[in-house]
Amino acid sequence: MNSVILQTATRFLMPLILVFSVVIMLQGHNKPGGGFIGGLLAAAAFSLHALAFNPAETRASLRFDLRSIIAIGLLISLSAGLPALLTGQPLFTGLWHEMMVPGIGVVHLGTPLLFDLGVYIVVIGISVLMVLTLVED
């Protein structure tokens, strides 16, 4: 599609949608959201880019092969289960650590967040791969 209006709107909307997707992914444990919903939002941003410009430019903007992105996301998600196994607990038991960050306060980091990050990356990779494959055909 060669619409100047859509291309201009995409330049403004894409960064906003990507930031919102990260916020949705990060707040997933306390409020509705998580890695899956955040990943779908990010994939929607890349899909919008593919429609406004072309699939080749969208692939170039990702800078990595989509299959590699999916594999990295799977590795991150699977690695979230290892700390529980190493401490003698069942696989994928949530382990949390509190960290004091100056200016922010106490930040809770844990293996569920790592799992959500992996799901976020996998969903982006799979969804964008499906959309780009459909648009290119």
Side-chain angles (χ1 to χ4, degrees):
M1 187 176 295
N2 195 10
S3 167
V4 174
I5 295 172
L6 182 60
Q7 291 176 350
T8 303
T10 299
R11 285 189 183 102
F12 287 107
L13 286 175
M14 189 171 174
L16 293 175
I17 295 172
L18 289 175
V19 168
F20 188 63
S21 75
V22 171
V23 170
I24 292 292
M25 190 269 298
L26 290 176
Q27 73 174 9
H29 291 288
N30 300 324
K31 297 176 182 175
F36 188 81
I37 301 300
L40 285 178
L41 277 173
F46 287 110
S47 300
L48 180 65
H49 188 274
L51 291 174
F53 297 96
N54 62 52
E57 285 187 39
T58 303
R59 283 187 190 272
S61 70
L62 288 169
R63 298 183 184 162
F64 294 102
D65 179 49
L66 288 168
R67 289 173 186 85
S68 300
I69 291 173
I70 295 167
I72 290 170
L74 283 173
L75 284 175
I76 291 172
S77 289
L78 290 175
S79 70
L82 293 179
L85 279 180
L86 295 175
T87 58
Q89 298 179 9
L91 184 66
F92 289 114
T93 299
L95 300 176
W96 292 94
H97 179 71
E98 291 182 357
M99 190 171 82
M100 184 67 177
V101 177
I104 295 177
V106 177
V107 175
H108 301 277
L109 299 174
T111 54
L113 181 61
L114 189 64
F115 182 79
D116 268 351
L117 177 65
V119 169
Y120 177 81
I121 294 170
V122 167
V123 169
I124 290 173
I126 290 174
S127 299
V128 173
L129 182 63
M130 286 190 303
V131 168
L132 291 181
T133 302
L134 289 171
V135 172
E136 289 170 341
D137 286 339

